[in-house]
Amino acid sequence: MATRILRSSSLVLFMAVVAALNVYVAESAGAAPQLCPPTFDWCVGDGEPGDDPRPDPGAGPEEEPQGCGYTWRTVDPPDGDVPEYIGDGIQGDPPPGVEVIWQVTFCSTRFGLTAMYRWLPAATPEIVANDLWVELSGTLPTPAVASDPEPGVNAIVDVPVFVEVTNWTGTLTPSRCEAGFCVTVTVTPSLAYRPGEPDSTSIACAGSGSRYDPQGSDIEEQAAAPGACAHAYRHRTGAAGRPAEWPAVVAVTWTITWSSSAGAGGSLPSVTRTSPVPRGVDEVQTVVVGGEES
Amino acid sequence: MVAESRSRRAHLLLAASLSVALLAACSGDDDSSSPTTEPPTSETSSTTESSTSTTTTQPPGTDQSAVEPFVADLLEQRDTLAAQLRQDPSSVAEEDGPFADYAQLFTPDSPQLADFRESMQGVADAGQADRPGPSGVLEATHLDSMLPSEDADVAFFQVCAFTDYETYDVASGDSVAAEAIKVISGGEAHRVNGVWLLHDFLDPDPNLVETLPSGTADPCELEE
């Protein structure tokens, strides 16, 4: 069986492989998740474990990569033509002034193996904070809403509607330690209820919101309590020129800050998730008979 | 100059120990000296037409996860024997010594075993030998991952290899050189007669060879 390992003497062949891999990785990079730190104007365009470069329709059969292992190992900054070529062709050079680390993985082709390099931003407190933000922002949930009356049940003019978020995260403090320092990100949620009827304003709710307590005080008193997440609609729906439901929305906004044991700290972009809670509103006519409502 | 020479020699040593192979001639048909490459876990057995003859075929190279334990086992055995040979390099000349066992981990046509043997012989002729450095790790080859293969009889893999060694003069016991080296490389295994054997390793790319102070903890392991 012929040896397939790529030898140093096969420079021309090697460059052909690199050229082929160049195309594949460029293509696959579009589909692979990228790390785009929120406070930076660049992304790390890396393949993810398990991603295989896709065949290039224009490549000869001998040049088609079979795939990569994507076990990335950190190495010293590479010298020579190969990483320079890959750097120009696949990922681009590191942004000026950004400290990076270099990593390598191996890919197999039909006639041997070749190394592929990538760079990643070196760990700094700000980078780690941004990494945490990227991880965290994808996990913050869309609010699940409970209400009185229940969603889908029409409210009554002047009778307060209460809303509450049932998957309230509370304050989160994920942290990560690496490279000799620890970074803690503090994620603080706040809740707003926008009733959606004309002339209404956004209501800043305390905590996860509030529900009507039948055993408690008068409903108006509960709705008027500081931080209550309640609104009494003034306008019924379905009348001429009005929609069947007011487009109410519950919005949770997480304010995110970070601090580091190295002394640095700051804020990161906030994250907002909203859920629609449309509400039909009826008007109840009352008739006064003999001095009493009936 | 001396440092450069030591470094080059160290690189050669690791390269050689990483890039070995030469199946001991005529060992293939000798059951009593068959390689100690018992599959770690599963095997697929098939019985031939003869009821008295059973052949064992290990998984195809296209099935990366199935081949991985076989390659890992071969690398582990290689580490053990390479460390043994480096500590007693003169034993490469022994017909029934550890080099015979070492060679049986590789395919008959593996291209680099001669280099390894020559390297070991050179160390022995100089009256030298290696011993583990302060980390205690003389040979550690970590299988990073299997790579895709379209050939059922060929498997590719990535390794991170580490050696922390001290070369010393056997007669006096004096240290000649001491350093640690990490190499990231790729390798290839072949399935011969249904059995996986190491075939070759990439020539170490200078970019992927890192010389470290003697006593450095195995960085390959720390990164995992």
Side-chain angles (χ1 to χ4, degrees):
Chain A
M1 189 175 296
T3 297
R4 298 182 179 213
I5 290 291
L6 191 64
R7 296 282 169 201
S8 55
S9 59
S10 308
L11 184 59
V12 174
L13 203 55
F14 174 72
M15 293 308 290
V17 179
V18 171
L21 287 170
N22 176 9
V23 175
Y24 308 143
V25 171
E27 287 180 349
S28 63
Q34 290 189 328
L35 173 61
C36 301
T39 59
F40 294 84
D41 58 0
W42 44 265
C43 300
V44 179
D46 58 316
E48 292 296 309
D51 290 347
D52 288 338
R54 292 172 293 174
D56 171 18
E62 290 300 304
E63 298 172 353
E64 290 179 9
Q66 296 167 1
C68 303
Y70 284 112
T71 297
W72 293 94
R73 287 285 189 178
T74 299
V75 296
D76 288 337
D79 298 322
D81 292 338
V82 173
E84 181 182 342
Y85 182 87
I86 290 177
D88 289 344
I90 293 179
Q91 197 181 21
D93 292 329
V98 174
E99 186 182 350
V100 302
I101 59 170
W102 284 90
Q103 294 185 320
V104 69
T105 193
F106 279 85
C107 302
S108 56
T109 73
R110 288 185 178 175
F111 54 86
L113 301 175
T114 189
M116 182 173 298
Y117 293 81
R118 73 176 181 184
W119 55 263
L120 297 169
T124 65
E126 188 174 14
I127 290 289
V128 173
N130 275 276
D131 286 350
L132 284 168
W133 183 94
V134 170
E135 293 172 11
L136 190 72
S137 60
T139 65
L140 297 176
T142 298
V145 180
S147 66
D148 297 304
E150 293 178 1
V153 175
N154 281 6
I156 297 171
V157 167
D158 289 337
V159 178
V161 172
F162 294 78
V163 297
E164 181 185 44
V165 172
T166 57
N167 58 346
W168 189 248
T169 63
T171 298
L172 306 172
T173 55
S175 64
R176 179 181 300 164
C177 299
E178 62 180 80
F181 57 83
C182 295
V183 170
T184 299
V185 171
T186 301
V187 184
T188 307
S190 60
L191 173 62
Y193 174 37
R194 298 195 284 270
E197 71 171 339
D199 302 327
S200 64
T201 58
S202 181
I203 299 160
C205 307
S208 62
S210 50
R211 301 289 297 274
Y212 171 60
D213 179 6
Q215 310 302 317
S217 60
D218 181 79
I219 188 169
E220 280 79 13
E221 285 184 23
Q222 291 186 39
C229 206
H231 173 74
Y233 282 93
R234 300 295 181 188
H235 307 285
R236 74 182 181 93
T237 54
R242 296 180 187 170
E245 296 172 319
W246 296 121
V249 170
V250 163
V252 177
T253 297
W254 286 268
T255 302
I256 306 175
T257 60
W258 65 276
S259 61
S260 164
S261 60
S267 61
L268 293 162
S270 61
V271 175
T272 298
R273 302 269 188 268
T274 61
S275 289
V277 281
R279 183 71 67 180
V281 180
D282 295 329
E283 190 168 31
V284 177
Q285 300 288 343
T286 60
V287 178
V288 178
V289 179
E292 294 183 354
E293 288 185 1
S294 64
Chain B
M1 196 64 147
V2 173
E4 182 184 350
S5 173
R6 285 176 180 171
S7 178
R8 188 183 304 125
R9 184 172 168 282
H11 291 184
L12 172 64
L13 190 59
L14 186 63
S17 64
L18 263 177
S19 58
V20 184
L22 173 70
L23 188 61
C26 70
S27 66
D29 297 327
D30 183 357
D31 287 341
S32 64
S33 61
S34 61
T36 54
T37 52
E38 293 300 320
T41 50
S42 62
E43 287 184 353
T44 301
S45 296
S46 60
T47 304
T48 64
E49 292 176 0
S50 166
S51 60
T52 59
S53 172
T54 299
T55 60
T56 299
T57 300
Q58 295 177 346
T62 50
D63 187 345
Q64 295 169 242
S65 58
V67 174
E68 183 169 355
F70 293 90
V71 173
D73 185 58
L74 288 167
L75 292 173
E76 186 177 345
Q77 292 186 61
R78 194 212 67 84
D79 282 348
T80 301
L81 289 167
Q84 192 175 339
L85 286 160
R86 287 177 63 183
Q87 292 177 89
D88 183 14
S90 62
S91 65
V92 293
E94 298 170 6
E95 195 167 324
D96 296 325
F99 185 76
D101 295 333
Y102 186 94
Q104 287 174 6
L105 301 175
F106 293 83
T107 59
D109 59 342
S110 181
Q112 293 195 32
L113 185 58
D115 290 344
F116 178 70
R117 189 172 205 165
E118 184 181 340
S119 176
M120 289 298 98
Q121 192 60 58
V123 174
D125 291 347
Q128 297 174 346
D130 287 345
R131 55 192 173 205
S135 75
V137 181
L138 188 54
E139 286 275 345
T141 306
H142 302 261
L143 178 59
D144 280 343
S145 60
M146 300 300 297
L147 307 179
S149 171
E150 295 180 353
D151 189 329
D153 293 321
V154 176
F156 298 109
F157 54 89
Q158 176 180 325
V159 295
C160 182
F162 176 71
T163 178
D164 176 22
Y165 73 98
E166 178 185 15
T167 301
Y168 68 101
D169 183 90
V170 174
S172 66
D174 294 342
S175 178
V176 175
E179 62 185 350
I181 298 174
K182 167 192 168 188
V183 175
I184 301 167
S185 188
E188 182 176 330
H190 288 177
R191 190 171 62 166
V192 179
N193 296 326
V195 175
W196 284 106
L197 296 171
L198 299 174
H199 179 68
D200 201 3
F201 291 87
L202 278 177
D203 291 338
D205 177 344
N207 282 312
L208 304 180
V209 177
E210 186 177 2
T211 303
L212 305 160
S214 179
T216 301
D218 183 352
C220 299
E221 190 170 73
L222 293 177
E223 287 174 5
E224 288 174 349

Short mmCIF file of all heavy atoms in Angstrom, two decimals, chain A residues 194-248:
data_model
loop_
_atom_site.label_atom_id
_atom_site.label_comp_id
_atom_site.label_asym_id
_atom_site.label_seq_id
_atom_site.Cartn_x
_atom_site.Cartn_y
_atom_site.Cartn_z
N ARG A 194 -46.42 46.76 28.13
CA ARG A 194 -46.97 47.80 27.26
C ARG A 194 -48.37 47.36 26.84
O ARG A 194 -48.52 46.43 26.04
CB ARG A 194 -46.05 48.00 26.06
CG ARG A 194 -44.65 48.47 26.45
CD ARG A 194 -43.88 49.02 25.26
NE ARG A 194 -43.37 47.98 24.38
CZ ARG A 194 -42.17 47.41 24.51
NH1 ARG A 194 -41.38 47.76 25.52
NH2 ARG A 194 -41.78 46.49 23.67
N PRO A 195 -49.42 48.02 27.37
CA PRO A 195 -50.80 47.55 27.15
C PRO A 195 -51.25 47.62 25.70
O PRO A 195 -52.12 46.86 25.28
CB PRO A 195 -51.64 48.49 28.03
CG PRO A 195 -50.68 49.02 29.04
CD PRO A 195 -49.37 49.13 28.34
N GLY A 196 -50.72 48.55 24.93
CA GLY A 196 -51.03 48.57 23.51
C GLY A 196 -52.22 49.40 23.11
O GLY A 196 -52.48 49.57 21.91
N GLU A 197 -52.96 49.95 24.06
CA GLU A 197 -54.11 50.78 23.66
C GLU A 197 -53.63 52.22 23.50
O GLU A 197 -52.59 52.61 24.05
CB GLU A 197 -55.24 50.68 24.69
CG GLU A 197 -54.96 51.36 26.02
CD GLU A 197 -56.20 51.40 26.89
OE1 GLU A 197 -57.32 51.29 26.36
OE2 GLU A 197 -56.05 51.55 28.12
N PRO A 198 -54.39 53.02 22.75
CA PRO A 198 -53.97 54.40 22.52
C PRO A 198 -53.76 55.15 23.83
O PRO A 198 -54.49 54.92 24.80
CB PRO A 198 -55.15 55.00 21.74
CG PRO A 198 -55.80 53.83 21.09
CD PRO A 198 -55.64 52.68 22.04
N ASP A 199 -52.78 55.98 23.84
CA ASP A 199 -52.47 56.86 24.98
C ASP A 199 -51.92 56.11 26.20
O ASP A 199 -51.69 56.72 27.24
CB ASP A 199 -53.70 57.67 25.42
CG ASP A 199 -54.25 58.51 24.26
OD1 ASP A 199 -53.43 58.97 23.43
OD2 ASP A 199 -55.48 58.67 24.19
N SER A 200 -51.73 54.82 26.09
CA SER A 200 -51.16 54.09 27.24
C SER A 200 -49.65 54.19 27.20
O SER A 200 -49.05 54.38 26.15
CB SER A 200 -51.60 52.62 27.23
OG SER A 200 -51.08 51.97 26.09
N THR A 201 -49.06 54.10 28.36
CA THR A 201 -47.60 54.15 28.44
C THR A 201 -47.07 52.83 28.96
O THR A 201 -47.81 52.02 29.52
CB THR A 201 -47.15 55.28 29.38
OG1 THR A 201 -47.73 55.05 30.67
CG2 THR A 201 -47.59 56.64 28.86
N SER A 202 -45.78 52.63 28.76
CA SER A 202 -45.14 51.41 29.25
C SER A 202 -45.10 51.41 30.77
O SER A 202 -44.78 52.42 31.40
CB SER A 202 -43.72 51.32 28.68
OG SER A 202 -43.10 50.15 29.12
N ILE A 203 -45.42 50.28 31.35
CA ILE A 203 -45.46 50.16 32.81
C ILE A 203 -44.21 49.41 33.26
O ILE A 203 -43.95 48.29 32.79
CB ILE A 203 -46.71 49.38 33.25
CG1 ILE A 203 -47.96 50.16 32.81
CG2 ILE A 203 -46.71 49.14 34.75
CD1 ILE A 203 -49.20 49.30 32.74
N ALA A 204 -43.46 50.05 34.14
CA ALA A 204 -42.28 49.38 34.70
C ALA A 204 -42.71 48.53 35.88
O ALA A 204 -43.21 49.04 36.88
CB ALA A 204 -41.26 50.42 35.14
N CYS A 205 -42.55 47.24 35.74
CA CYS A 205 -43.03 46.31 36.77
C CYS A 205 -41.89 45.94 37.71
O CYS A 205 -40.73 45.90 37.33
CB CYS A 205 -43.58 45.05 36.11
SG CYS A 205 -44.82 45.36 34.84
N ALA A 206 -42.24 45.63 38.93
CA ALA A 206 -41.25 45.15 39.89
C ALA A 206 -41.10 43.64 39.73
O ALA A 206 -42.09 42.92 39.60
CB ALA A 206 -41.69 45.48 41.31
N GLY A 207 -39.84 43.20 39.72
CA GLY A 207 -39.60 41.76 39.67
C GLY A 207 -40.22 41.12 38.45
O GLY A 207 -40.18 41.65 37.34
N SER A 208 -40.83 39.96 38.71
CA SER A 208 -41.38 39.18 37.60
C SER A 208 -42.80 39.60 37.24
O SER A 208 -43.42 38.97 36.39
CB SER A 208 -41.37 37.70 37.98
OG SER A 208 -42.19 37.48 39.11
N GLY A 209 -43.34 40.65 37.88
CA GLY A 209 -44.70 41.09 37.59
C GLY A 209 -45.63 40.76 38.74
O GLY A 209 -45.18 40.47 39.86
N SER A 210 -46.91 40.82 38.50
CA SER A 210 -47.85 40.55 39.59
C SER A 210 -49.13 39.91 39.06
O SER A 210 -49.47 40.05 37.89
CB SER A 210 -48.18 41.85 40.35
OG SER A 210 -48.54 42.88 39.44
N ARG A 211 -49.77 39.20 39.94
CA ARG A 211 -51.06 38.57 39.64
C ARG A 211 -52.10 39.11 40.63
O ARG A 211 -51.79 39.59 41.72
CB ARG A 211 -50.96 37.04 39.82
CG ARG A 211 -49.90 36.37 38.96
CD ARG A 211 -50.32 36.37 37.49
NE ARG A 211 -51.53 35.62 37.25
CZ ARG A 211 -51.57 34.30 37.03
NH1 ARG A 211 -50.43 33.61 37.02
NH2 ARG A 211 -52.72 33.68 36.81
N TYR A 212 -53.36 39.00 40.23
CA TYR A 212 -54.44 39.41 41.11
C TYR A 212 -54.63 38.39 42.22
O TYR A 212 -54.67 37.18 41.96
CB TYR A 212 -55.73 39.56 40.30
CG TYR A 212 -56.95 39.77 41.16
CD1 TYR A 212 -57.05 40.86 42.02
CD2 TYR A 212 -58.02 38.87 41.10
CE1 TYR A 212 -58.17 41.04 42.81
CE2 TYR A 212 -59.14 39.05 41.89
CZ TYR A 212 -59.21 40.13 42.74
OH TYR A 212 -60.32 40.32 43.53
N ASP A 213 -54.69 38.88 43.44
CA ASP A 213 -54.88 38.00 44.59
C ASP A 213 -56.33 38.14 45.07
O ASP A 213 -56.70 39.15 45.68
CB ASP A 213 -53.92 38.39 45.72
CG ASP A 213 -54.10 37.53 46.96
OD1 ASP A 213 -54.90 36.56 46.90
OD2 ASP A 213 -53.44 37.82 47.99
N PRO A 214 -57.15 37.14 44.81
CA PRO A 214 -58.57 37.23 45.19
C PRO A 214 -58.75 37.39 46.69
O PRO A 214 -59.76 37.91 47.16
CB PRO A 214 -59.18 35.91 44.72
CG PRO A 214 -58.20 35.37 43.72
CD PRO A 214 -56.87 35.87 44.13
N GLN A 215 -57.77 36.93 47.48
CA GLN A 215 -57.88 37.03 48.93
C GLN A 215 -57.32 38.37 49.43
O GLN A 215 -57.36 38.64 50.65
CB GLN A 215 -57.09 35.90 49.61
CG GLN A 215 -57.40 34.51 49.08
CD GLN A 215 -58.88 34.17 49.20
OE1 GLN A 215 -59.50 34.45 50.21
NE2 GLN A 215 -59.45 33.58 48.15
N GLY A 216 -56.78 39.14 48.53
CA GLY A 216 -56.13 40.37 48.95
C GLY A 216 -57.07 41.55 48.96
O GLY A 216 -58.30 41.41 49.03
N SER A 217 -56.47 42.70 48.90
CA SER A 217 -57.25 43.94 48.97
C SER A 217 -58.04 44.13 47.68
O SER A 217 -58.00 43.30 46.76
CB SER A 217 -56.30 45.12 49.20
OG SER A 217 -55.37 45.20 48.13
N ASP A 218 -58.71 45.25 47.63
CA ASP A 218 -59.51 45.59 46.45
C ASP A 218 -58.63 45.54 45.19
O ASP A 218 -57.45 45.89 45.23
CB ASP A 218 -60.06 47.01 46.67
CG ASP A 218 -60.92 47.45 45.50
OD1 ASP A 218 -62.08 47.02 45.43
OD2 ASP A 218 -60.38 48.18 44.63
N ILE A 219 -59.25 45.13 44.08
CA ILE A 219 -58.47 44.95 42.87
C ILE A 219 -57.81 46.23 42.40
O ILE A 219 -56.67 46.24 41.92
CB ILE A 219 -59.36 44.33 41.75
CG1 ILE A 219 -58.50 43.94 40.54
CG2 ILE A 219 -60.47 45.31 41.32
CD1 ILE A 219 -59.24 43.10 39.53
N GLU A 220 -58.50 47.35 42.57
CA GLU A 220 -57.89 48.62 42.17
C GLU A 220 -56.68 48.94 43.05
O GLU A 220 -55.68 49.48 42.59
CB GLU A 220 -58.91 49.76 42.24
CG GLU A 220 -59.84 49.84 41.04
CD GLU A 220 -60.97 48.82 41.11
OE1 GLU A 220 -61.17 48.24 42.21
OE2 GLU A 220 -61.63 48.58 40.09
N GLU A 221 -56.83 48.61 44.34
CA GLU A 221 -55.69 48.86 45.25
C GLU A 221 -54.49 48.01 44.86
O GLU A 221 -53.35 48.47 44.87
CB GLU A 221 -56.09 48.56 46.70
CG GLU A 221 -56.99 49.60 47.33
CD GLU A 221 -57.27 49.28 48.80
OE1 GLU A 221 -56.43 48.54 49.40
OE2 GLU A 221 -58.29 49.72 49.32
N GLN A 222 -54.74 46.76 44.52
CA GLN A 222 -53.63 45.89 44.10
C GLN A 222 -52.97 46.45 42.84
O GLN A 222 -51.74 46.44 42.71
CB GLN A 222 -54.14 44.48 43.85
CG GLN A 222 -54.58 43.75 45.10
CD GLN A 222 -54.93 42.29 44.83
OE1 GLN A 222 -54.28 41.62 44.05
NE2 GLN A 222 -55.98 41.81 45.51
N ALA A 223 -53.80 46.94 41.92
CA ALA A 223 -53.25 47.45 40.66
C ALA A 223 -52.48 48.75 40.88
O ALA A 223 -51.57 49.08 40.11
CB ALA A 223 -54.38 47.67 39.66
N ALA A 224 -52.83 49.46 41.92
CA ALA A 224 -52.18 50.76 42.17
C ALA A 224 -50.94 50.64 43.05
O ALA A 224 -50.22 51.62 43.26
CB ALA A 224 -53.18 51.71 42.82
N ALA A 225 -50.68 49.45 43.56
CA ALA A 225 -49.51 49.26 44.43
C ALA A 225 -48.23 49.56 43.64
O ALA A 225 -48.15 49.30 42.44
CB ALA A 225 -49.49 47.83 44.97
N PRO A 226 -47.24 50.12 44.32
CA PRO A 226 -45.98 50.43 43.63
C PRO A 226 -45.37 49.18 42.99
O PRO A 226 -45.28 48.13 43.63
CB PRO A 226 -45.08 50.94 44.77
CG PRO A 226 -46.04 51.41 45.82
CD PRO A 226 -47.22 50.52 45.74
N GLY A 227 -45.01 49.31 41.71
CA GLY A 227 -44.38 48.19 41.01
C GLY A 227 -45.35 47.17 40.48
O GLY A 227 -44.92 46.18 39.85
N ALA A 228 -46.66 47.38 40.74
CA ALA A 228 -47.63 46.40 40.24
C ALA A 228 -47.58 46.34 38.71
O ALA A 228 -47.38 47.35 38.05
CB ALA A 228 -49.03 46.77 40.70
N CYS A 229 -47.76 45.14 38.19
CA CYS A 229 -47.69 44.97 36.74
C CYS A 229 -49.14 44.85 36.25
O CYS A 229 -49.62 43.75 35.96
CB CYS A 229 -46.87 43.73 36.40
SG CYS A 229 -46.11 43.81 34.77
N ALA A 230 -49.82 45.95 36.22
CA ALA A 230 -51.26 45.93 35.94
C ALA A 230 -51.65 47.15 35.14
O ALA A 230 -51.01 48.20 35.21
CB ALA A 230 -52.04 45.86 37.24
N HIS A 231 -52.73 47.00 34.42
CA HIS A 231 -53.24 48.11 33.63
C HIS A 231 -54.74 47.93 33.47
O HIS A 231 -55.23 46.84 33.17
CB HIS A 231 -52.59 48.13 32.24
CG HIS A 231 -53.20 49.16 31.33
ND1 HIS A 231 -52.97 50.51 31.46
CD2 HIS A 231 -54.04 49.02 30.27
CE1 HIS A 231 -53.64 51.17 30.53
NE2 HIS A 231 -54.30 50.28 29.78
N ALA A 232 -55.47 49.02 33.67
CA ALA A 232 -56.92 49.01 33.46
C ALA A 232 -57.19 49.65 32.10
O ALA A 232 -56.88 50.84 31.91
CB ALA A 232 -57.63 49.75 34.58
N TYR A 233 -57.69 48.87 31.18
CA TYR A 233 -57.94 49.40 29.84
C TYR A 233 -59.07 50.44 29.89
O TYR A 233 -60.05 50.28 30.61
CB TYR A 233 -58.30 48.26 28.88
CG TYR A 233 -57.07 47.49 28.42
CD1 TYR A 233 -56.65 46.35 29.10
CD2 TYR A 233 -56.34 47.92 27.32
CE1 TYR A 233 -55.54 45.65 28.70
CE2 TYR A 233 -55.20 47.22 26.90
CZ TYR A 233 -54.81 46.09 27.59
OH TYR A 233 -53.70 45.41 27.20
N ARG A 234 -58.94 51.47 29.07
CA ARG A 234 -59.92 52.54 28.98
C ARG A 234 -60.78 52.41 27.73
O ARG A 234 -61.83 53.03 27.64
CB ARG A 234 -59.20 53.89 28.94
CG ARG A 234 -58.34 54.17 30.18
CD ARG A 234 -59.21 54.28 31.43
NE ARG A 234 -58.42 54.57 32.61
CZ ARG A 234 -58.91 54.57 33.83
NH1 ARG A 234 -60.18 54.24 34.04
NH2 ARG A 234 -58.15 54.85 34.86
N HIS A 235 -60.24 51.67 26.78
CA HIS A 235 -60.94 51.61 25.50
C HIS A 235 -61.27 50.16 25.17
O HIS A 235 -60.40 49.30 25.19
CB HIS A 235 -60.07 52.20 24.38
CG HIS A 235 -59.56 53.57 24.68
ND1 HIS A 235 -60.36 54.70 24.62
CD2 HIS A 235 -58.33 54.01 25.07
CE1 HIS A 235 -59.63 55.76 24.93
NE2 HIS A 235 -58.40 55.37 25.22
N ARG A 236 -62.55 49.95 24.79
CA ARG A 236 -62.91 48.59 24.40
C ARG A 236 -62.42 48.35 22.97
O ARG A 236 -62.18 49.29 22.21
CB ARG A 236 -64.41 48.37 24.51
CG ARG A 236 -65.27 49.03 23.45
CD ARG A 236 -66.74 48.75 23.73
NE ARG A 236 -67.62 49.33 22.74
CZ ARG A 236 -68.06 48.65 21.65
NH1 ARG A 236 -67.65 47.41 21.43
NH2 ARG A 236 -68.90 49.22 20.81
N THR A 237 -62.24 47.11 22.65
CA THR A 237 -61.81 46.74 21.31
C THR A 237 -63.02 46.35 20.48
O THR A 237 -64.12 46.13 21.01
CB THR A 237 -60.83 45.55 21.36
OG1 THR A 237 -61.45 44.48 22.10
CG2 THR A 237 -59.54 45.95 22.04
N GLY A 238 -62.79 46.24 19.17
CA GLY A 238 -63.84 45.77 18.28
C GLY A 238 -64.81 46.85 17.85
O GLY A 238 -65.64 46.63 16.97
N ALA A 239 -64.70 48.03 18.44
CA ALA A 239 -65.58 49.12 18.01
C ALA A 239 -65.09 49.62 16.64
O ALA A 239 -64.01 49.25 16.19
CB ALA A 239 -65.55 50.24 19.03
N ALA A 240 -65.86 50.45 16.04
CA ALA A 240 -65.51 50.94 14.71
C ALA A 240 -64.12 51.57 14.73
O ALA A 240 -63.83 52.42 15.57
CB ALA A 240 -66.55 51.96 14.25
N GLY A 241 -63.26 51.11 13.83
CA GLY A 241 -61.91 51.67 13.73
C GLY A 241 -60.92 51.11 14.73
O GLY A 241 -59.78 51.56 14.77
N ARG A 242 -61.35 50.17 15.52
CA ARG A 242 -60.43 49.59 16.50
C ARG A 242 -60.20 48.11 16.19
O ARG A 242 -61.09 47.43 15.67
CB ARG A 242 -60.98 49.70 17.92
CG ARG A 242 -61.13 51.14 18.39
CD ARG A 242 -61.69 51.18 19.79
NE ARG A 242 -62.00 52.55 20.21
CZ ARG A 242 -62.68 52.86 21.31
NH1 ARG A 242 -63.13 51.88 22.10
NH2 ARG A 242 -62.91 54.10 21.62
N PRO A 243 -59.02 47.62 16.56
CA PRO A 243 -58.74 46.20 16.31
C PRO A 243 -59.53 45.31 17.27
O PRO A 243 -60.10 45.78 18.25
CB PRO A 243 -57.23 46.10 16.59
CG PRO A 243 -56.97 47.18 17.59
CD PRO A 243 -57.91 48.31 17.23
N ALA A 244 -59.51 44.02 16.98
CA ALA A 244 -60.20 43.06 17.85
C ALA A 244 -59.46 42.91 19.18
O ALA A 244 -60.06 42.52 20.19
CB ALA A 244 -60.31 41.71 17.15
N GLU A 245 -58.16 43.19 19.16
CA GLU A 245 -57.35 43.08 20.39
C GLU A 245 -56.34 44.21 20.40
O GLU A 245 -55.84 44.61 19.34
CB GLU A 245 -56.59 41.73 20.44
CG GLU A 245 -57.48 40.50 20.51
CD GLU A 245 -56.68 39.22 20.35
OE1 GLU A 245 -55.76 39.19 19.50
OE2 GLU A 245 -56.96 38.26 21.09
N TRP A 246 -56.04 44.71 21.58
CA TRP A 246 -54.94 45.66 21.71
C TRP A 246 -53.62 44.88 21.72
O TRP A 246 -53.52 43.85 22.40
CB TRP A 246 -55.07 46.48 22.99
CG TRP A 246 -56.28 47.36 23.04
CD1 TRP A 246 -57.27 47.33 23.97
CD2 TRP A 246 -56.63 48.39 22.11
NE1 TRP A 246 -58.23 48.27 23.70
CE2 TRP A 246 -57.86 48.95 22.54
CE3 TRP A 246 -56.04 48.90 20.95
CZ2 TRP A 246 -58.50 49.98 21.86
CZ3 TRP A 246 -56.67 49.94 20.27
CH2 TRP A 246 -57.89 50.47 20.73
N PRO A 247 -52.64 45.37 20.96
CA PRO A 247 -51.37 44.61 20.80
C PRO A 247 -50.45 44.78 22.00
O PRO A 247 -49.38 45.40 21.90
CB PRO A 247 -50.77 45.21 19.53
CG PRO A 247 -51.28 46.62 19.52
CD PRO A 247 -52.66 46.59 20.13
N ALA A 248 -50.86 44.25 23.12
CA ALA A 248 -50.02 44.38 24.33
C ALA A 248 -48.76 43.52 24.20
O ALA A 248 -48.75 42.49 23.52
CB ALA A 248 -50.83 43.95 25.55
#
